[in-house]
């Protein structure tokens, strides 16, 4: 859950061809989540402020065209790119949005997409070298246009920390619940799903318990390091390398990193590695030792200890409970 703030802002980018049903559906979903959170007074849960953004017809500037709580002040926490029913939109129609999205990401906002909305993310260059999902019908085209993106259309949602991609057209509901889980609390996501009669069970098992790094702390040097660590999986990194990325001395970097994220750099890297390890345990049949090496541990025993401390289960038991391949086998 995010740190306690009065308001958390979710922006919906209404680009040409965006599915309006998803835009208004997500707006309603977050409204229900606010109502559920309001049933717990004194809990310190923030209010979700939803704003719609679109390109001005005259200037082309991205402007707010709807605000659920205009009297509140906030900074952008999440930007959502809704699906497009017409398929992958023409690249030339997306140029005005790329710079705006990069600016939001650089300021600490998490970027997320549904279905063909992933093309806008691809156009920013921020998905280079990273995993992403989209509608199965668009996966081949996306991979051909952007060969540096690791497209995996088998997954409904890929939560890569500061960038989240969701698959099919109706996956906006799954993404919305995942964001409620992250921005408010798992119990609020569950209550919202029950009210809207949405099956939450497959989502809680696979995607809702991911490490959600704090990205809106306002320290640009630390944020730069977070993006760097996320992109290369926090493998084979040293304190000196992180401090160099931040352009700071090691002692200053240590202090500012822990102040911004609430974690020591070592703890932060462990969270990122374990998050990747959980994904591999769920979706592959690789051995625990192989997964340990892949996420950056030369000693598989150390990986097992860190995994159990963070997740609460040893890797093998986690796979038995949540592994997709294991769950699909007949009893």
């Amino acid at each position: 859950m995010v740190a306690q703030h009065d308001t958390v802002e979710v922006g919906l980018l209404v680009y040409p061809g965006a599915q309006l049903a998803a835009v208004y559906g997500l707006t309603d979903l977050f409204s229900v989540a606010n109502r559920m959170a309001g049933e717990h007074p004194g809990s310190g849960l923030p209010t979700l402020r939803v704003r719609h953004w679109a390109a001005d017809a005259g200037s082309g500037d991205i402007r707010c065209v709807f605000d659920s709580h205009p009297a509140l002040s906030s900074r952008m926490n999440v930007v959502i790119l809704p699906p497009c029913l017409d398929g992958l939109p023409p690249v030339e129609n997306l140029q005005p949005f790329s710079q705006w999205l990069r600016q939001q990401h650089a300021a600490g906002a998490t970027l997320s997409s549904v279905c063909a909305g992933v093309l806008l993310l691809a156009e920013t260059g921020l998905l280079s070298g990273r995993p992403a999902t989209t509608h199965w019908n668009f996966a081949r085209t996306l991979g051909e246009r952007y060969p540096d993106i690791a497209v995996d259309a088998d997954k409904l949602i890929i939560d890569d920390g500061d960038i989240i991609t969701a698959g099919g057209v109706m996956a906006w509901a799954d993404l919305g619940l995942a964001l409620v889980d992250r921005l408010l609390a798992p119990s609020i996501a569950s209550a919202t799903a029950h009210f809207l009669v949405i099956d939450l069970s497959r989502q809680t098992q696979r995607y809702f318990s991911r490490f959600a790094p704090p990205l809106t702390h306002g320290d640009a040097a630390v944020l730069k390091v977070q993006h760097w660590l996320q992109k290369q999986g926090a493998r084979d990194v040293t304190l000196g390398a992180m401090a160099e990325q931040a352009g700071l001395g090691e002692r200053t970097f240590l202090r500012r990193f822990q102040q911004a994220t609430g974690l020591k750099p070592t703890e932060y890297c462990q969270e990122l590695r374990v998050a990747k390890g959980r994904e591999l345990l769920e979706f592959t049949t690789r051995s625990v030792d192989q997964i340990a090496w892949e996420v950056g541990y030369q000693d598989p025993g150390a990986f097992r200890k860190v995994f159990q401390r963070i997740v609460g289960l040893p890797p093998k038991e986690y796979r038995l409970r949540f592994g997709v391949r294991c769950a699909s086998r007949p009893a």
Side-chain angles (χ1 to χ4, degrees):
M1 184 173 66
V2 296
Q4 293 184 3
H5 296 293
D6 292 335
T7 310
V8 172
E9 181 174 333
V10 178
L12 288 155
L13 186 58
V14 188
Y15 60 90
Q19 183 193 17
L20 296 181
V23 173
Y24 295 124
L26 282 163
T27 303
D28 290 342
L29 186 150
F30 294 131
S31 176
V32 171
N34 278 331
R35 190 194 318 167
M36 298 303 164
E39 295 178 358
H40 302 274
S43 63
L45 294 173
T47 298
L48 296 183
R49 178 190 190 185
V50 181
R51 296 211 280 177
H52 300 174
W53 297 82
D56 182 79
S59 65
D61 295 336
I62 309 301
R63 300 183 182 277
C64 177
V65 296
F66 168 83
D67 192 338
S68 66
H69 295 79
L72 301 181
S73 61
S74 61
R75 59 185 299 175
M76 191 84 77
N77 289 82
V78 177
V79 177
I80 302 175
L81 307 173
C84 177
L85 290 179
D86 296 331
L88 295 176
V91 172
E92 57 269 18
N93 292 349
L94 307 180
Q95 296 300 330
F97 303 98
S98 295
Q99 183 179 358
W100 186 83
L101 288 168
R102 285 193 293 266
Q103 290 172 346
Q104 302 306 317
H105 184 258
T110 296
L111 303 184
S112 58
S113 69
V114 184
C115 193
V118 73
L119 188 65
L120 278 81
L121 288 183
E123 278 296 298
T124 66
L126 295 171
L127 275 177
S128 178
R130 300 179 67 162
T133 188
T134 185
H135 192 286
W136 59 267
N137 195 42
F138 305 143
R140 182 174 179 178
T141 302
L142 182 67
E144 290 174 349
R145 287 192 190 180
Y146 305 94
D148 55 344
I149 298 176
V151 181
D152 186 353
D154 290 338
K155 296 179 181 176
L156 184 62
I157 293 181
I158 293 181
D159 186 339
D160 203 30
D162 57 331
I163 295 180
I164 308 172
T165 53
V169 177
M170 297 304 295
W172 60 261
D174 304 283
L175 175 63
L177 291 171
L179 290 173
V180 171
D181 180 284
R182 174 186 287 202
L183 299 172
L184 296 179
S187 59
I188 303 301
S190 178
T192 302
H194 289 161
F195 181 87
L196 296 174
V197 197
I198 299 174
D199 181 9
L200 187 63
S201 60
R202 63 193 180 106
Q203 298 302 315
T204 53
Q205 174 178 300
R206 297 172 61 178
Y207 309 115
F208 280 1
S209 300
R210 300 300 178 192
F211 171 53
L215 301 169
T216 56
H217 44 68
D219 191 324
V222 171
L223 183 63
K224 179 182 177 183
V225 175
Q226 289 179 273
H227 289 161
W228 177 67
L229 289 172
Q230 193 78 44
K231 187 172 182 178
Q232 56 90 45
R235 293 184 297 272
D236 302 322
V237 295
T238 64
L239 176 60
M242 287 186 277
E244 183 179 353
Q245 283 285 326
L248 302 170
E250 291 188 9
R251 294 181 64 182
T252 301
F253 170 72
L254 271 172
R255 174 178 55 81
R256 286 174 56 174
F257 189 93
Q258 189 162 3
Q259 183 178 12
T261 68
L263 296 169
K264 297 177 181 178
T266 301
E267 296 170 334
Y268 189 93
C269 290
Q270 288 174 342
E271 290 280 2
L272 289 179
R273 291 174 180 176
V274 166
K276 181 62 177 178
R278 291 174 67 169
E279 178 183 330
L280 293 173
L281 286 166
E282 291 174 16
F283 297 110
T284 76
T285 57
R286 296 169 204 166
S287 70
V288 174
D289 286 1
Q290 288 174 321
I291 290 173
W293 296 326
E294 184 165 342
V295 300
Y297 284 90
Q298 295 182 351
D299 178 7
F303 169 72
R304 288 179 172 89
K305 290 179 181 178
V306 172
F307 189 96
Q308 181 155 3
R309 175 173 59 80
I310 292 176
V311 179
L313 292 171
K316 284 187 177 180
E317 186 173 345
Y318 182 86
R319 169 172 275 164
L320 287 173
R321 290 193 183 190
F322 303 117
V324 175
R325 294 176 183 271
C326 293
S328 64
R329 294 172 185 162

